[in-house]
Structure formats: C-alpha cells, structure tokens
C-alpha cells in the first residue's frame, strides 16, 4: 500500500485565484448594485416632474435590468466564483443607497 504524502502537504483546497475571483466579483457586484439602485432613486425623483411617468418607469426598468444582466453575465463568464461574490456585492450596494 502506497501512501499519498503529496496530498497531505498541499495545504488548503481553496486557491488564491478563487479568492481573487470572489473579491473581484464582490467589488464588481457592488458597482453594479450602486448603478442599479442609483438609477432607481433617480427615476423615483424624476417621476414627480415628468409628463410621462409610465414611459420613464418602463425605460428605466429595461435599462437597469439590461445593465445588471450584462454585468452579471460578464462576471459569470469570467468565473462562476466571481458570480458568487457579485450577489452579496449587489445586496450590499442596496443597503448603502
């Protein structure tokens, strides 16, 4: 019977690239969340003075969702771990705004 001593010497299973991807995803998610929630706040302020509120709400919704979706898809293509980090980033941005 041969013992696998190399396996015992490797150390932690999570590599630095995974940690980097999660941190990068969290930062990108925070920026995406700030953009999404900031645009939502801007839309809410503009609803009082616009002559076509329904058009503003729909256009804002489509633009915000498209930008968030493009950003999340880009992160998912980078790494699934980046997408895992992006979710708390977006939620944290919501709490900030």
């Amino acid at each position: 019977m041969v013992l696998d001593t190399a396996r015992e010497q490797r150390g932690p299973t999570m590599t630095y690239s995974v940690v980097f991807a999660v941190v990068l995803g969290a930062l990108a998610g925070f920026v995406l969340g700030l953009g999404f929630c900031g645009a939502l706040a801007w839309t809410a302020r503009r609803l009082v003075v616009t002559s076509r509120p329904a058009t503003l709400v729909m256009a804002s919704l489509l633009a915000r969702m498209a930008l968030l979706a493009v950003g999340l898809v880009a992160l998912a293509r980078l790494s699934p771990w980046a997408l895992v980090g992006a979710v708390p980033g977006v939620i944290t941005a919501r709490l900030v705004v």
Side-chain angles (χ1 to χ4, degrees), residues 5 23 34 65 79 93-94:
T5 57
V23 170
L34 282 178
M65 293 298 280
S79 166
R94 171 60 186 107

Side-chain angles (χ1 to χ4, degrees), residues 7-33:
R7 182 180 190 117
E8 294 172 5
Q9 296 173 357
R10 277 190 229 156
T13 57
M14 185 174 278
T15 63
Y16 291 113
S17 61
V18 172
V19 173
F20 179 72
V22 171
V23 170
L24 180 68
L27 291 174
F30 185 75
V31 170
L32 287 170

Side-chain angles (χ1 to χ4, degrees), residues 11-62:
T13 57
M14 185 174 278
T15 63
Y16 291 113
S17 61
V18 172
V19 173
F20 179 72
V22 171
V23 170
L24 180 68
L27 291 174
F30 185 75
V31 170
L32 287 170
L34 282 178
F36 184 88
C37 296
L40 178 61
W42 178 83
T43 301
R45 285 192 303 268
R46 294 284 301 163
L47 281 175
V48 178
V49 297
T50 188
S51 61
R52 299 177 120 177
T55 304
L56 178 63
V57 168
M58 289 307 295
S60 173
L61 175 67
L62 290 174

Side-chain angles (χ1 to χ4, degrees), residues 28-29 31-36 62-75 86 90:
V31 170
L32 287 170
L34 282 178
F36 184 88
L62 290 174
R64 287 183 288 118
M65 293 298 280
L67 288 173
L68 186 64
V70 166
L72 291 177
V73 167
L75 286 173
V90 171

